[in-house]
Amino acid sequence: MSATTATPTTDATKSSMVWLQAVVTTWSITGLILFGAAWVLGLQASWWQRILLALPVVGLAYLDARGFNAVIEIRAGLTRALSDLDWAQIPLAVAGGAWLLGLMADAGQRLAIGAVIGLVAALYRCAPHGAAPAGGTR
């Protein structure tokens, strides 16, 4: 048996690792985006309330990993919803992380941060996506 031939157990291990990665990332990003919405809305909670609010996401991820069909269907729908959010999922997830850490800003600062994110998103949308030609021209 050569070193380049993959064994069935190696392939099964790799596919189960990819599946586990999908479960963990989908539920983690979903939780962070939900908490990001709380940050945008200015909702405040103490540390123990934030932990209690994170427990359902952890529980759903656990049930998903155990193979509960209803939860797997929910994850499939969440994956499509996250895809529909496109670029907005990243700033919302970052805001969710800030909310979980207890980092809050007043309404004016949240509006300013939202405006900056919107401006950066518009710039990226209008920017050319192709690589510059080699050698360059003047």
Side-chain angles (χ1 to χ4, degrees):
M1 183 178 227
S2 70
T4 59
T5 305
T7 62
T9 56
T10 304
D11 292 340
T13 303
K14 286 181 183 178
S15 67
S16 67
M17 290 300 293
V18 169
W19 173 80
L20 183 61
Q21 182 181 10
V23 168
V24 170
T25 55
T26 300
W27 288 109
S28 298
I29 294 297
T30 299
L32 287 172
I33 287 174
L34 291 174
F35 301 142
W39 184 88
V40 169
L41 294 172
L43 303 178
Q44 296 186 8
S46 64
W47 66 269
W48 63 271
Q49 291 168 326
R50 291 189 301 268
I51 290 173
L52 283 178
L53 289 171
L55 287 178
V57 175
V58 172
L60 287 170
Y62 175 77
L63 291 175
D64 190 357
R66 299 295 295 171
F68 282 82
N69 288 332
V71 180
I72 292 171
E73 291 298 321
I74 291 170
R75 178 174 44 91
L78 284 173
T79 302
R80 287 188 292 276
L82 290 174
S83 176
D84 290 343
L85 279 176
D86 197 28
W87 63 268
Q89 64 182 311
I90 295 171
L92 279 173
V94 170
W99 187 82
L100 276 176
L101 293 173
L103 305 173
M104 288 301 296
D106 64 16
Q109 290 173 329
R110 286 194 311 274
L111 288 173
I113 291 170
V116 169
I117 290 171
L119 177 64
V120 170
L123 289 173
Y124 271 100
R125 206 148 186 75
C126 296
H129 297 292
T137 58
R138 293 183 187 219

